[in-house]
Amino acid sequence: MPTAIITGITGQDGSYLAEFLLAKGYEVIGMVRRSSTVTFQRIKQIQDDITIIQGDLHDQSSLVDVIERYRPQEVYNLAAQSFVPTSWNQPVLTGEVTALGVTRLLEAIRLINPETRFYQASSSEMFGKVREVPQSESTPFYPRSPYGVAKVYAHWITVNYRESYDLFAVSGLLFNHGSPRRGLEFVERKICHGVARIKLGLTDELRLGNLDSRRDWGFAGDYVEAMWLMLQRDAAEDYVIGTGVTHSVRELCELAFSHVGLDYKDYVVQDPQFYRPAEVDILVADPSKAIKDLNWEPKIGFDGLVQMMVDEDLKRLALEID
Ligand code: NDP
Ligand code: GDR
């Protein structure tokens, strides 16, 4: 039975990846940081099937301990300060966790168990002010936030450890992906959750920022399969993962509201507090390398994702107010 360690297992992607690996017969070890409150909502359904161990990307010795104790075949580094606006408020913390945390983990692997295969959760935010459309593995980076800058560092340190030490270390350049488990602060969940609250009469407005930015949104459950496929290859290479289709935040609003028979113009209020100091205007993936090498394709598109998220939030909220 292969062993995999997932950092960030309590996050959206960590929970889907853990379920995916369990179904493949892996022993799954989830590294979680200490908190005074329990953060296991997304993994409560599999808690008896996985092992939870404490560790923090800030703390080198905790990472050494995790690798030493389990000597995993695969490590998936999903942990990060992942919310872009927070990266302007907490740029140093974002750099410590999202950038330097990766070096700490790679060092632990290099020193203790260099046979371990390593996946780094890189991001389309690295393309930022895009140099070409669509974005592929060879598109130059131009990050627009401290988060994006930290992810560029994390990407290059992963490539560098592969080239310097011959580690099997890969970087997955994933475009936006949501799900009913997405954090409430990210725009697609904020909109779908807001639509459900409005439909149920719990509120009568939804405050958003820039409605014109465009993203390539997919379903998280599809994307964790791509992470695993990257680690099953003979050679370590980096891959862009996305749907190849882009939509504006406004289009997302139109679709989510119309799914429950409402018009977004009656409810959405633009609020300057949600605008960013520097924006990423358009992202759209060219996933052709992944389609060819990994035989990977997204199963759920934009419409299916948005409808699923609205329906799940309606169901959940209806139960809560019942
Ligand atoms: P989430 O924000 O849902 O999850 C982040 C995880 O990181 C949580 O488990 C969190 O733990 C953990 N974490 C944060 N800080 C630390 C730390 N110092 N030490 C250990 N763990 C920590 O992110 P997603 O699941 O959406 O994303 C997973 C990864 O993929 C992230 O690296 C993100 O930047 C990247 N990514 C995400 C994309 C997306 O669209 N979802 C697209 C491209 C990249 P806790 O529960 O305690 O907060
Ligand atoms: P992003 O996702 O920054 O792309 O990072 P987010 O959902 O936060 O923003 C997407 C776009 O929507 C616009 N927007 C708003 N965003 C938020 N959060 N809240 C609002 O009210 C709002 N109104 C408009 C933003 O300006 C932006 O243009 C996500 C994260 O998951 C990262 O960790 C990941 O690396 C990238 O996706 C790929």
Side-chain angles (χ1 to χ4, degrees):
M1 189 193 265
T3 300
I5 291 177
I6 303 175
T7 74
I9 195 166
T10 55
Q12 170 190 258
D13 289 8
S15 68
Y16 283 108
L17 180 64
E19 288 172 347
F20 177 86
L21 294 177
L22 285 173
K24 291 238 169 260
Y26 278 70
E27 180 184 5
V28 175
I29 314 297
M31 192 192 88
V32 301
R33 56 180 169 167
R34 194 262 160 187
S35 164
S36 67
T37 49
V38 176
T39 56
F40 293 177
Q41 298 94 311
R42 296 186 178 103
I43 50 170
K44 57 180 184 308
Q45 69 288 0
I46 50 168
Q47 236 178 288
D48 294 340
D49 306 319
I50 60 179
T51 304
I52 294 290
I53 180 161
Q54 266 190 26
D56 196 306
L57 287 186
H58 281 108
D59 188 86
Q60 181 75 63
S61 60
S62 69
L63 304 177
V64 167
D65 184 50
V66 173
I67 301 295
E68 175 92 72
R69 191 167 332 166
Y70 292 100
R71 297 194 166 261
Q73 277 75 38
E74 296 172 9
V75 168
Y76 295 85
N77 182 40
L78 308 185
Q81 190 304 95
S82 76
F83 191 45
V84 172
T86 296
S87 76
W88 277 285
N89 300 332
Q90 302 181 18
V92 175
L93 178 136
T94 301
E96 280 290 347
V97 177
T98 305
L100 280 178
V102 184
T103 310
R104 293 188 191 101
L105 193 49
L106 283 165
E107 273 293 280
I109 290 170
R110 177 179 81 82
L111 293 168
I112 294 159
N113 198 26
E115 302 309 309
T116 302
R117 294 188 168 208
F118 176 79
Y119 173 85
Q120 167 56 20
S122 289
S123 164
S124 52
E125 280 295 294
M126 302 191 306
F127 297 120
K129 191 170 179 178
V130 295
R131 307 284 88 191
E132 61 184 4
V133 178
Q135 295 84 49
S136 73
E137 292 78 6
S138 58
T139 303
F141 299 138
Y142 191 146
R144 293 274 278 173
S145 62
Y147 169 82
V149 173
K151 283 288 184 185
V152 170
Y153 172 93
H155 169 81
W156 283 119
I157 201 71
T158 302
V159 173
N160 181 259
Y161 269 54
R162 177 168 79 221
E163 294 176 354
S164 303
Y165 304 116
D166 205 23
L167 295 188
F168 193 109
V170 306
S171 168
L173 291 81
L174 271 53
F175 284 61
N176 298 54
H177 45 278
S179 74
R181 299 182 196 170
R182 185 68 147 145
L184 284 169
E185 67 274 41
F186 299 98
V187 81
E188 72 273 31
R189 181 74 196 286
K190 184 174 172 183
I191 293 169
C192 295
H193 187 253
V195 164
R197 282 173 52 81
I198 289 169
K199 183 69 182 171
L200 294 170
L202 298 172
T203 184
D204 57 7
E205 67 169 27
L206 176 60
R207 303 188 83 81
L208 296 172
N210 179 12
L211 302 184
D212 296 318
S213 56
R214 302 182 72 85
R215 293 289 184 275
D216 177 339
W217 279 285
F219 172 52
D222 290 341
Y223 287 35
V224 297
E225 183 190 13
M227 298 174 186
W228 176 77
L229 285 168
M230 284 180 220
L231 293 196
Q232 311 314 308
R233 303 273 302 159
D234 289 338
E237 287 182 50
D238 308 324
Y239 288 91
V240 158
I241 300 294
T243 68
V245 183
T246 186
H247 291 278
S248 65
V249 174
R250 190 185 307 280
E251 287 163 6
L252 208 159
C253 287
E254 272 167 5
L255 177 62
F257 278 89
S258 68
H259 183 57
V260 297
L262 300 175
D263 183 343
Y264 83 97
K265 294 194 198 89
D266 297 332
Y267 303 96
V268 170
V269 179
Q270 280 190 272
D271 185 335
Q273 71 162 300
F274 296 114
Y275 281 86
R276 297 178 179 186
E279 181 60 280
V280 171
D281 296 324
I282 174 166
L283 291 174
V284 55
D286 170 3
S288 47
K289 184 182 176 201
I291 292 170
K292 181 169 150 285
D293 288 5
L294 306 177
N295 197 21
W296 176 87
E297 266 187 279
K299 297 181 185 72
I300 296 179
F302 180 69
D303 289 23
L305 174 70
V306 172
Q307 286 161 12
M308 175 206 321
M309 290 177 68
V310 172
D311 289 343
E312 282 291 318
D313 271 325
L314 273 173
K315 230 188 301 171
R316 210 170 352 211
L317 286 169
L319 279 175
E320 275 172 33
I321 58 179
D322 208 17

